[in-house]
Every structure is written in C-alpha cells, then in structure tokens.
Amino acid sequence: MYKTLIYEKKENIGLLTINRPDKLNAISNELTSELKQLLGEIENDEELRVLVITGAGDKAFVAGADIKELVDRDAKIGRRVSRERQEVFSRIENLQIPVIGAINGYALGGGLELALACSIRVCSEKAQFGVPEVKLGIIPGDGGTQRLPRLVGLGRAMEMILTGDFIDAQEEYRIGLVNKIFPPGKLMEGAMELAQRIASRPPLAVRYAKEAVNRSQEGDAVSGFALESYLHALACTTEDKKEGVSAFLEKRKGEFKGK
Ligand code: COA
C-alpha cells in the first residue's frame, strides 16, 4: 500500500520500516506524505501500545533528507518543507503511545531528527549519528536544533551541529543519545523486547506518563522552532548551499565562500 514505508502489526506493537534502502532511506517528499497518511492510521488505532521505527537494509536508519530534492529548495520551499517535517515529527513525538527508534545504521540529518522524535532510542553497534546539514550550506530544519540540545546538552549539540561530524554507537551511548547498544543481529529482538515490556504496562498510565515527561521539555519552544525554520529558509538562499548540494551530487569536495 505504501511505496516508501512498510508497516506491520505484531499483536499490539506497530513496526514501521522506512523503506528506500537504495537511497539509504533518505526522506523524500513522497515519504513525508506517506508518513502523514500512516500516522493518521496509527493515531486512530486504539489497540496499539507501542510503535517501533527502523530502517530497511543493513546500512542506514535514515541518511537525512533526500539531497536530490534540495537542489530546487529555495527559501519558500525550505520554509514549507521545514514546517511540514517539524509537524510530522511532532506528531510522532506526541503520539499517545511510546515510540522506540531502533537505529540500525546511519541516522543523519532528518534521520537523527526522526530518532529524536522517538521516546526512546536503541541502536546497533554499527549505528552512526550526525547532523551534516552545515556541510551542505544549510541548517537542520526538522526540529534538530531544538530537540538535540534538550537530550544531550547545549555544548555537545553545538559541536555536532557546527562540525557535522558523525559519532559512533559508544559515543551515542555515552552522551545519552541512545539507551542501549545491541550487536546488529540482535537489535530488532532487543527493541521488540523493550516494546513488549512497555506494552505489558497499564496503557493509560503509559500514555499519561509519556505526556507528562514530554511536557517537561517545553520551554519557549514555539519561537525556537519558528527561528529555526526562518534561518533554514534563509540558508536556502545562499551560494554555499548551492555549492554544497552540487558538490555532494557530483561526488567532489565543496568549496565554500561564506556567501
Ligand atoms: N539523499 C539522497 N540520496 C542519498 C542520501 C541522501 N541524504 N544519502 C545517501 N544517498 C544515496 C547516494 O547518493 C547513493 O545513491 P547512488 O547509488 O544512486 O549514487 C546511495 O544512497 C548510497 O550512498 P553512498 O553515498 O554511495 O554510500 P556510502 O556508504 O559511500 O556513504 C553516507 C554513506 C551516509 C556517508 C553518505 O551517503 C552521505 O554522506 N549521505 C548524505 C548524508 C547527509 O548529508 N544527510 C543530510 C541531508 S540534509
């Protein structure tokens, strides 16, 4: 039914697999639309207790936004896409049921931002996290500048966002980005076991507890998200964005001018 997603139910646990493995599960516009549609289904499913999200293939959870679609992203599109994906990820964050991110490989850019919208993250030893937007001449636009500092602290979030460097599973665990690390072949078993444990708890208590914990993170988030989105749009107008995106697609090193 979906082209870019696989959704299965294992009793009262939903398993969503982001499914564009040949593009490392990059988030395209089509994938965003399908995700919105699927979320409608999930929000209306009263039987569901926990949702687990993972990526297809053995290489990536999600390697970010589809960089091909960045070529034509100007300020107007940048603002719209950013707002749209912020909303989709906020719907995931605010689902009544807990969401477990089972990070099986690269979680980059929008992929890391999707992981951050999950209630709990577990990963395989192969997982790598990063926020490489700045290397493309843009900034995160799917909630990353707001959610990452809340989870790992301002300094670590700054370093990740300003360098664009990737970190490995041990470092992710050390800074609290993930709660558990599994050998690659054991990741889904580990994630499903955790999901089953939560699914076995009283559903209303789980639902209320999740909501209460989520609310603890609200500072002046509205203006933070708005600022992020405007600055994301502004970054889309720069020469360095054009250069960064072209360089990636042409498989060469970008030359940036700060313009
Ligand atoms: N958007 C679109 N396509 C992507 C992609 C993305 N974010 N990430 C990877 N792909 C595609 C590659 O272009 C390649 O496609 P091709 O086979 O048609 O050429 C395919 O997925 C495999 O990726 P490749 O780069 O060959 O794998 P690798 O093992 O050499 O490198 C990464 C893996 C993750 C380091 C590298 O793909 C990468 O840096 N991706 C972009 C990450 C990024 O900047 N994300 C943020 C975007 S805002």
Side-chain angles (χ1 to χ4, degrees), residues 20-27 59-60 62-70 73 106 108-111 113 130-133 135-136 138-140 166 232 248-249 251:
R20 296 183 74 211
D22 54 325
K23 296 294 169 201
L24 303 190
N25 304 320
I27 304 173
K59 225 174 146 180
V62 169
D66 190 318
I67 297 178
K68 274 212 171 118
E69 293 180 356
L70 280 180
R73 196 185 285 189
Y106 289 112
L108 306 174
E113 292 170 297
V131 204
E133 277 88 341
K135 293 190 195 164
L136 298 168
I138 55 173
I139 74 163
F166 299 172
H232 176 88
F248 176 85
L249 295 173
K251 300 187 190 300

Side-chain angles (χ1 to χ4, degrees), residues 2 4-8 15-19 38 56:
Y2 297 103
T4 62
L5 307 174
I6 300 168
Y7 182 63
E8 307 151 76
L15 175 57
L16 163 59
T17 306
I18 308 293
N19 188 35
L38 176 63

